[in-house]
Amino acid sequence: MTQAETGEPGQKWFDETWTKVHPLSPFVRGWLTVIAVPGIIFGYNWEIWADLWHMYRSGELWDQVDRHPLIFLAGGGGMLLLLIVVFGGFVLSWWFTRYKITDEHVMVKSGIFVRQHRQARIDRVQAVDLRQPLLARFTGLAELKFEVAEGDGTAATLAFLKKPQAEQLRADIMDRASGKAQWRQQQAEAAGTPAAGPAHDGAPRLVSPPGVEDTAGPVPGASHRVDPGGAVPGQGPHAPLFQEVPDREVTRVPTGRLVGSVLMGWGTILLAIIAGFGLIGAVVGGIVSLVIGVEDPLGQVGSAVSLIGAGILPSLIPVGLVVITMYYQQFSGGFRFTATMTGAGLKMRYGLLETTTQTVPPGRVQALQIHQPLLWRPFRWFRVLVVVAGYGVGEKRSVLLPVGRIEEVMAVTAEMFPDLKVPHPEQVVTEGLLGSGTEFGFTEVPRRARIFDPIVRRRRGFFITPSALMFRDGRLSRRLTLMAHERIQSLALQQGPWQRAKRLADIQLHTPAGPFQMQLSNQDLDAAQWLFEHESRHAAFARRMSDRNHWMLPEELHEFERMVSQVGSGPGGEPDERRG
């Protein structure tokens, strides 16, 4: 929650419980101002400063000071006043920016003339990102950004703290948001011993079902459950509910592959289109010259191309800047990308000049999409995106894997969807990414609708597992979207006039704002209605079981899985095999 306050009369805006940010914070935030102000002064008056320098070198400056002291005093006073205003503003900004962490909120107060109070509920925190701009990296500082479920914008920002302090604070907040800190306190009170401090080096591991030999290390696509709180439930009746295990690296992106993926992106396509139009223009000009019998046609074509190039060059400069910006953003967003599973979730670190350490808890992911652009298909590369409440439509922070091969995609997907509750989850995901038709259980657009979807007809469909709903779409650019049943907020069926004539309907699942939407077009009406009714019942029940402020603790998760399995079963407890 975000709010602005002006304070009540007679009530102190700050007290001793509020903590100041680091003294260098205003300079890290406003370093551009420190460079821009002198740059503007020297840039617009460079001739005056050059004359003053020559006068100083020749000794004439002191004579001028003796003759006209008031002018130089006024100029020096103005410069001193400007410095006082700039640096005084920085000092006041630091003094009036403080924060406080309570059991329920993260609160930040700031503002010199217009006061602002921003706060985020800890139990509604979706993610806490640690960001280091270029200057912050040199000074050892870091910024914390708190994302909550109530809105698309950042709820609160702490800028800046010492990096170790910021990392410790982030770990504490994530422990409180997940409910793990409360669980430790309850266990300590039950045992009559002081609660131990939060362990921040733990990570969830894959656990085999009872009676099955455990597997060591990450198993891509394994149908085992991982507790999103970062701990493993005990196997025996007297086993502890949490067992902390070390962090483990899931994947990292090689720089060479990242460069290749950037060059195979939209920037290159845009450049190719521009070059193609230029080539077509040159060829057409040459043909016209030959037809009309112009002497020295190559020379005439060259002159025409030069004139055309000189005319359109100014309009190509903005296009070039856009392409360069696209290249840089994609490269910076994946540079030295590393994904590590920790006790708080999947921690990702990336960035070229500005580094970002971002943690995505599996319990906060609303939906996941695996995407393969057309130019990536020869290399079998994929991108993984997620929808997290609070992130909004900005794709940079919604990227779970900028570019990876199929085995890396399986490993990352298994962390977010550790148990699809099907015998061979790798086959299901692979079929959703690369397959088509109904042989494996996915639906498809009916033949009577091939006039609407002649190309993508056999790839556009859905598949249901006991724990998730999967949408498959795209022929040239392939997409597979997964969403847990309990994350479905609402569903919608849409039908146009032509679809009514063909007994077709569109299916849409409503999620928080994100980089993609879950929607399928031109599905069979009976299958769409069955899916609507099935998910309405299943999702409503799952939401009631999982609608808690904290991420589910182990005992809650066990009960949730038991009751959801009952809902997903047909008459007599047998699994419902219908796929729409």
Side-chain angles (χ1 to χ4, degrees):
M1 180 177 64
T2 303
Q3 63 182 13
E5 297 180 354
T6 58
E8 298 179 0
Q11 184 178 2
K12 294 177 63 177
W13 181 244
F14 295 123
D15 55 31
E16 63 277 0
T17 62
W18 290 82
T19 306
K20 300 185 186 71
V21 295
H22 196 275
L24 292 178
S25 299
F27 299 95
V28 176
R29 288 198 305 265
W31 65 273
L32 284 176
T33 303
V34 177
I35 296 177
V37 171
I40 293 173
I41 294 175
F42 282 94
Y44 282 95
N45 304 278
W46 67 271
E47 294 181 351
I48 296 177
W49 296 103
D51 293 339
L52 288 176
W53 174 250
H54 290 305
M55 292 171 64
Y56 172 77
R57 293 286 301 273
S58 63
E60 185 181 354
L61 177 62
W62 305 114
D63 294 337
Q64 294 294 332
V65 171
D66 292 336
R67 294 176 185 176
H68 309 284
L70 293 178
I71 296 177
F72 286 92
L73 285 175
M79 292 292 297
L80 181 60
L81 180 62
L82 180 62
L83 292 176
I84 292 175
V85 169
V86 172
F87 287 96
F90 284 164
V91 173
L92 290 176
S93 175
W94 165 74
W95 180 263
F96 284 98
T97 302
R98 306 190 189 189
Y99 68 94
K100 182 166 68 173
I101 311 296
T102 68
D103 292 337
E104 297 179 353
H105 294 92
V106 177
M107 296 184 288
V108 181
K109 288 186 176 182
S110 61
I112 301 174
F113 301 106
V114 179
R115 293 175 174 177
Q116 189 178 50
H117 180 188
R118 299 175 68 89
Q119 65 182 25
R121 281 178 52 186
I122 292 179
D123 59 3
R124 301 297 288 168
V125 168
Q126 301 290 310
V128 183
D129 297 344
L130 188 147
R131 192 176 69 94
Q132 278 192 294
L134 182 60
L135 191 57
R137 295 174 63 181
F138 293 134
T139 55
L141 302 181
E143 174 189 35
L144 289 179
K145 302 180 69 174
F146 299 91
E147 309 292 344
V148 297
E150 279 82 356
D152 295 337
T154 300
T157 300
L158 279 181
F160 286 81
L161 307 175
K162 294 294 291 183
K163 186 180 178 182
Q165 179 186 3
E167 291 177 339
Q168 181 66 37
L169 182 58
R170 180 184 63 170
D172 292 341
I173 297 299
M174 297 297 284
D175 272 358
R176 296 189 195 184
S178 66
K180 189 160 56 175
Q182 289 84 339
W183 179 86
R184 287 197 184 97
Q185 184 177 1
Q186 294 172 2
Q187 295 299 309
E189 291 175 354
T193 58
H200 306 304
D201 57 349
R205 63 183 178 88
L206 296 172
V207 182
S208 298
V212 181
E213 184 179 357
D214 193 11
T215 55
V219 182
S223 58
H224 301 155
R225 188 184 63 79
V226 178
D227 174 51
V232 179
Q235 298 294 329
H238 303 291
L241 287 177
F242 285 108
Q243 299 174 7
E244 304 290 355
V245 293
D247 297 353
R248 55 186 173 83
E249 182 177 299
V250 177
T251 186
R252 63 176 58 232
V253 176
T255 304
R257 184 193 303 167
L258 177 64
V259 173
S261 67
V262 172
L263 294 178
M264 293 292 103
W266 282 106
T268 302
I269 294 177
L270 185 58
L271 290 178
I273 292 174
I274 295 174
F277 278 115
L279 181 61
I280 292 174
V283 172
V284 171
I287 294 174
V288 171
S289 299
L290 292 175
V291 170
I292 64 177
V294 177
E295 297 182 1
D296 190 14
L298 294 179
Q300 295 293 334
V301 170
S303 301
V305 170
S306 300
L307 291 174
I308 295 174
I312 66 174
L313 183 61
S315 62
L316 292 180
I317 293 177
V319 176
L321 293 177
V322 170
V323 172
I324 293 174
T325 302
M326 292 173 59
Y327 281 153
Y328 173 77
Q329 290 179 347
Q330 295 176 15
F331 182 76
S332 177
F335 182 72
R336 301 185 69 177
F337 182 94
T338 303
T340 305
M341 200 62 197
T342 69
L346 188 66
K347 183 175 71 175
M348 299 172 292
R349 179 179 173 85
Y350 54 87
L352 181 59
L353 300 179
E354 173 186 309
T355 61
T356 300
T357 302
Q358 174 186 352
T359 302
V360 177
R364 298 305 202 195
V365 172
Q366 305 293 320
L368 177 146
Q369 184 178 89
I370 306 171
H371 178 219
Q372 186 182 44
L374 176 63
L375 297 182
W376 288 13
R377 292 177 63 172
F379 309 97
R380 296 182 66 84
W381 292 339
F382 302 87
R383 178 188 294 116
V384 181
L385 306 174
V386 290
V387 173
V388 176
Y391 274 2
V393 297
E395 186 176 316
K396 181 179 180 181
R397 289 188 299 165
S398 300
V399 177
L400 210 63
L401 180 64
V403 55
R405 300 187 184 278
I406 187 68
E407 59 272 11
E408 296 163 340
V409 169
M410 294 290 184
V412 172
T413 304
E415 302 297 346
M416 300 296 108
F417 289 83
D419 191 0
L420 293 178
K421 300 184 184 299
V422 291
H424 303 287
E426 301 94 339
Q427 275 188 293
V428 174
V429 175
T430 302
E431 179 68 20
L433 285 174
L434 307 177
S436 62
T438 60
E439 290 81 4
F440 200 83
F442 280 88
T443 64
E444 65 177 18
V445 175
R447 287 183 176 273
R448 62 181 179 273
R450 58 181 177 269
I451 188 174
F452 302 130
D453 287 319
I455 298 178
V456 76
R457 183 184 72 84
R458 291 180 58 80
R459 268 198 52 83
R460 180 167 290 167
F462 63 86
F463 182 87
I464 301 177
T465 78
S467 62
L469 175 61
M470 307 172 67
F471 280 7
R472 178 177 69 182
D473 205 347
R475 174 68 69 178
L476 301 179
S477 181
R478 296 168 173 164
R479 297 181 301 276
L480 176 66
T481 308
L482 295 86
M483 189 173 189
H485 297 296
E486 65 270 17
R487 296 301 177 188
I488 299 176
Q489 297 184 354
S490 61
L491 301 92
L493 284 181
Q494 300 175 352
Q495 196 178 42
W498 294 106
Q499 290 177 316
R500 285 198 295 269
K502 296 290 186 178
R503 291 187 54 78
L504 305 173
D506 297 342
I507 310 169
Q508 184 176 7
L509 274 60
H510 299 146
T511 64
F516 59 86
Q517 296 181 343
M518 290 199 65
Q519 182 172 351
L520 281 180
S521 302
N522 300 323
Q523 295 296 294
D524 179 78
L525 181 60
D526 294 336
Q529 289 177 340
W530 178 87
L531 177 64
F532 184 87
E533 296 173 358
H534 176 273
E535 288 302 323
S536 296
R537 295 192 305 268
H538 197 163
F541 180 82
R543 281 197 304 273
R544 288 196 297 270
M545 289 299 301
S546 63
D547 188 15
R548 293 170 171 83
N549 288 334
H550 295 303
W551 308 334
M552 283 185 292
L553 298 178
E555 61 271 18
E556 297 172 335
L557 192 56
H558 293 165
E559 179 68 11
F560 167 75
E561 290 181 342
R562 183 185 67 82
M563 300 188 72
V564 167
S565 64
Q566 294 177 357
V567 175
S569 300
E574 295 298 326
D576 190 348
E577 298 294 339
R578 183 172 183 180
R579 294 289 182 261

